[in-house]
């Protein structure tokens, strides 16, 4: 549920690359790395950080793991937010 809320609030779906991006620019590098570790250890999402234009980092969940993310979250997200995971 926490991941669903997080994506509904601070997530977006990049249609061109079919990736989910979490806006984490306000987090420290250590916090971003901790979040990535949890996403990867708990759900094997192969998430990684990407430098944002403002100097912070965003977390990216790659296209190859999109089906896993969608199956985890589609029942827990409001219908109007499913576009944030490519549905």
């Amino acid at each position: 549920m926490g991941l669903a809320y997080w994506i509904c609030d601070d997530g977006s779906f990049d249609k061109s690359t079919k990736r989910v991006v979490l806006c984490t620019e306000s987090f420290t590098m250590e916090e971003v790395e901790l979040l990535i570790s949890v996403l990867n250890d708990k759900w094997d999402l192969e998430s990684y950080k990407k430098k944002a234009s403002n100097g912070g980092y965003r977390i990216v969940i790659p296209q190859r793991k999109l089906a896993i993310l969608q199956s985890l979250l589609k029942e827990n997200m409001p219908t109007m937010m499913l576009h944030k995971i490519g549905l």
Side-chain angles (χ1 to χ4, degrees):
M1 286 299 285
L3 181 56
Y5 280 105
W6 185 18
I7 290 175
C8 285
D9 187 38
D10 289 327
S12 64
F13 182 70
D14 183 339
K15 290 181 183 179
S16 65
T17 60
K18 295 185 171 47
R19 301 181 301 182
V20 173
V21 179
L22 294 163
C23 297
T24 52
E25 291 94 332
S26 64
F27 292 90
T28 67
M29 174 70 79
E30 293 79 20
E31 291 167 335
V32 170
E33 289 176 353
L34 175 63
L35 291 167
I36 288 170
S37 174
V38 171
L39 292 172
N40 293 343
D41 292 347
K42 188 164 180 117
W43 296 295
D44 190 32
L45 294 176
E46 296 180 16
S47 60
Y48 59 92
K49 65 182 177 283
K50 179 182 176 190
K51 189 87 164 168
S53 60
N54 67 356
Y57 288 90
R58 291 184 173 186
I59 295 174
V60 177
I61 300 170
Q63 177 185 6
R64 66 183 169 276
K65 294 298 182 166
L66 187 58
I68 291 171
L69 184 68
Q70 290 170 338
S71 68
L72 283 170
L73 301 182
K74 67 182 172 187
E75 300 299 322
N76 296 313
M77 291 177 73
T79 305
M80 68 182 126
M81 291 291 174
L82 291 176
H83 68 280
K84 291 192 172 217
I85 57 171
L87 293 175

